[in-house]
Every structure is written in structure tokens, then in C-alpha cells.
Amino acid sequence: MCLGIPGLITEVEESDGLRTGTVDFGGVRKRVCLVYTPDAGRGDYVIVHVGFAISVVDVAEAERTLAVLRAMDGVLERELNP
């Protein structure tokens, strides 16, 4: 299964014209490509799918989605640590 998972951008970097960031998924941090979300910055929540941030979401939506995913036994762990 591949899900789009909300996470909080904690750092933004640009290297060789490629915008990336560190995204925190409730303690698990991953490097994510931010090219598709050019307006997203530190402190924003984004939906991440296969290593790409695909949209910006507000805090309430991110928290609701994370709550649903946490209620599904082991889904977050499987998606974030394949």
C-alpha cells in the first residue's frame, strides 16, 4: 500500500536547483523533495507520497489524517520504514 502521509517541514534546503526538506512524521524524519510544493516552507504540513511533497495541508487536516493512520495498526510504521 502507498499512502500520502502528512508531515511537518522542519528544514528546507536547495542544492543544484532542487528544493528538498526534512519532514517530521511524528518522530520519524525523512528527506523529501519539495519541487511540487514551491510555496511550502518550514513549519508547514505537507502530504508526502513516495518521497515527494504533493500538497500543503493545514494543521487540523494533518492531525485528523495522522489520527486515522495511527488508528490503523502499524500502517504508519510500514509506510515510513518499508
Side-chain angles (χ1 to χ4, degrees):
M1 179 185 325
C2 288
L3 300 173
I5 300 176
L8 178 67
I9 299 174
T10 60
E11 297 176 33
V12 176
E13 295 178 5
E14 189 165 327
S15 178
D16 297 325
L18 182 64
R19 203 163 165 267
T20 63
T22 301
V23 177
D24 186 325
F25 301 93
V28 176
R29 291 179 175 222
K30 299 278 186 176
R31 179 57 94 209
V32 170
C33 180
L34 299 174
V35 171
Y36 299 129
T37 53
D39 296 330
R42 189 171 184 209
D44 288 329
Y45 277 89
V46 289
I47 299 294
V48 177
H49 178 67
V50 294
F52 290 85
I54 57 174
S55 65
V56 178
V57 293
D58 63 45
V59 175
E61 180 64 23
E63 289 174 352
R64 279 192 301 272
T65 303
L66 285 169
V68 169
L69 293 173
R70 286 185 184 114
M72 300 166 66
D73 190 34
V75 168
L76 275 177
E77 292 77 15
R78 284 192 302 274
E79 287 298 311
L80 295 173
N81 299 307

